[in-house]
């Protein structure tokens, strides 16, 4: 008793503990965060929950199912996983994401960031502005610009360039549609990659790079064994963000090809749009969205585990 009494007195003299102070801050916390939580609940959680409900029904916009939708269990998911068009759209989405985001944007963004970090590079302002420009262009404007570039008429920009070498006008969006939208998406996303990689490169200690060069390492060896391991976290974070955003790309591709020709550019987002709004099959469209969401969540977990980043 004699040993605990002074301790209790000292604790009382030191003032209220952090756990006792916490309730005093709750009104301020609710005032600051409450509107955000309310918006997230109304515009994200509620629609997501309703979409999950629709995925297990035969809801349609027209017909008898529109008046009296029925619970169909996992029938929509079974239908989609056995549907060649949906599986094909997932394959095209994977190819589009791999070549445009994971390879194209990442490699070119890293090259641009390394070039901008070099002290000998002249015209950094112009070079950086040229790379950043696609990022600030609205999606509709970018789509119209590229539609003009890839136009099948002789007045198209690309056909004008190839015409200098004697080539006939080519319908690029018909002959190589997937390659065309991959190039357009690379052009749109390089700026974001460059910004993230440039910020990561600035945190690499110059002493480590200088020590590696003194030991005789080449530029490629320095990048591979010193720089790249130190920026591993930001690189995987970028891959996570660009994978999520690219899987959900809709407007850019829809404006250019509308999923054609012959479904060659029908990405998963376009397939969901067609099913839900053109064919009025809201239940199937919602089920396809849930499958796509699960795929994105799995990829996100893989990226986080590879990067060993605490999120």
């Amino acid at each position: 008793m004699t040993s605990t009494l002074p301790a209790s007195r000292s604790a009382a003299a030191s003032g209220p503990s952090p756990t006792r102070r916490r309730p005093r801050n709750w009104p301020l916390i609710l005032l600051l965060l409450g509107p955000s939580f309310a918006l997230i609940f109304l515009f994200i959680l509620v629609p997501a929950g309703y979409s999950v409900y629709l995925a297990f029904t035969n809801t349609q916009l027209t017909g008898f199912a529109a008046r009296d939708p029925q619970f169909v269990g996992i029938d929509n998911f079974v239908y989609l996983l056995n549907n060649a068009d949906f599986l094909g759209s997932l394959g095209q989405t994977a190819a589009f994401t791999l070549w445009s985001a994971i390879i194209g944007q990442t490699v070119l963004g890293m090259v641009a960031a390394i070039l901008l970090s070099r002290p000998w590079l002249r015209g950094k302002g112009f070079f950086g502005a040229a790379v950043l420009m696609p990022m600030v262009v609205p999606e509709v404007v970018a789509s119209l610009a590229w539609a003009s570039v890839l136009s099948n008429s002789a007045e198209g920009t690309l056909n004008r360039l190839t015409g200098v070498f004697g080539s006939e006008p080519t319908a690029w969006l018909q002959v190589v549609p997937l390659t065309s939208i991959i190039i357009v998406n690379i052009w749109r996303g390089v700026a974001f990659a460059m910004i993230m990689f440039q910020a990561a490169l600035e945190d690499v200690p110059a002493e480590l790079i200088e020590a590696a060069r003194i030991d005789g390492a080449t530029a490629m060896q320095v990048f591979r064994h010193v720089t790249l391991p130190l920026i591993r976290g930001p690189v995987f974070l970028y891959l996570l963000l660009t994978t999520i955003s690219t899987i959900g790309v809709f407007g850019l591709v829809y404006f250019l090809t509308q999923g054609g020709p012959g479904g060659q550019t029908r990405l998963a987002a376009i397939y969901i749009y067609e099913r839900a709004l053109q064919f009025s099959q809201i239940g199937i469209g919602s089920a396809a969205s849930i499958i796509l969401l699960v795929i994105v969540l799995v990829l996100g977990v893989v990226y986080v585990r590879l990067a060993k980043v605490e999120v």
Side-chain angles (χ1 to χ4, degrees), residues 1 9 11 17 54 64 75 79 82 97 104 124 170 172 215 231 238 262 275 277 282:
M1 291 294 291
R9 287 179 177 175
S17 64
L54 292 175
F64 293 104
D75 288 356
Y79 168 79
N82 291 281
T97 304
K124 288 184 180 180
T170 303
W172 301 101
D215 290 340
I231 62 173
Y238 168 75
R275 282 291 175 180
L277 299 179
I282 296 295

Side-chain angles (χ1 to χ4, degrees), residues 58 68-69 75 78 102 161 174 177 188 209 255 272 286 288 297:
N58 63 347
D68 186 23
D75 288 356
V78 174
I102 298 177
L161 291 175
Q174 302 291 323
R188 283 275 293 173
I209 296 177
F255 278 123
I272 293 170
S286 299
L297 290 176

Side-chain angles (χ1 to χ4, degrees), residues 33-102:
L33 300 182
S36 299
F37 285 141
L39 292 175
I40 291 174
F41 178 77
L42 288 176
F43 294 105
I44 296 180
L45 295 182
V46 171
Y50 188 59
S51 178
V52 172
Y53 161 74
L54 292 175
F56 293 95
T57 67
N58 63 347
T59 303
Q60 295 189 4
L61 293 178
T62 59
F64 293 104
R67 180 182 301 175
D68 186 23
Q70 300 294 322
F71 181 77
V72 295
I74 61 172
D75 288 356
N76 290 335
F77 295 95
V78 174
Y79 168 79
L80 288 170
L81 295 178
N82 291 281
N83 184 273
D85 290 340
F86 178 67
L87 298 179
S89 70
L90 290 181
Q92 287 156 2
T93 303
F96 177 71
T97 304
L98 174 66
W99 290 108
S100 68
I102 298 177

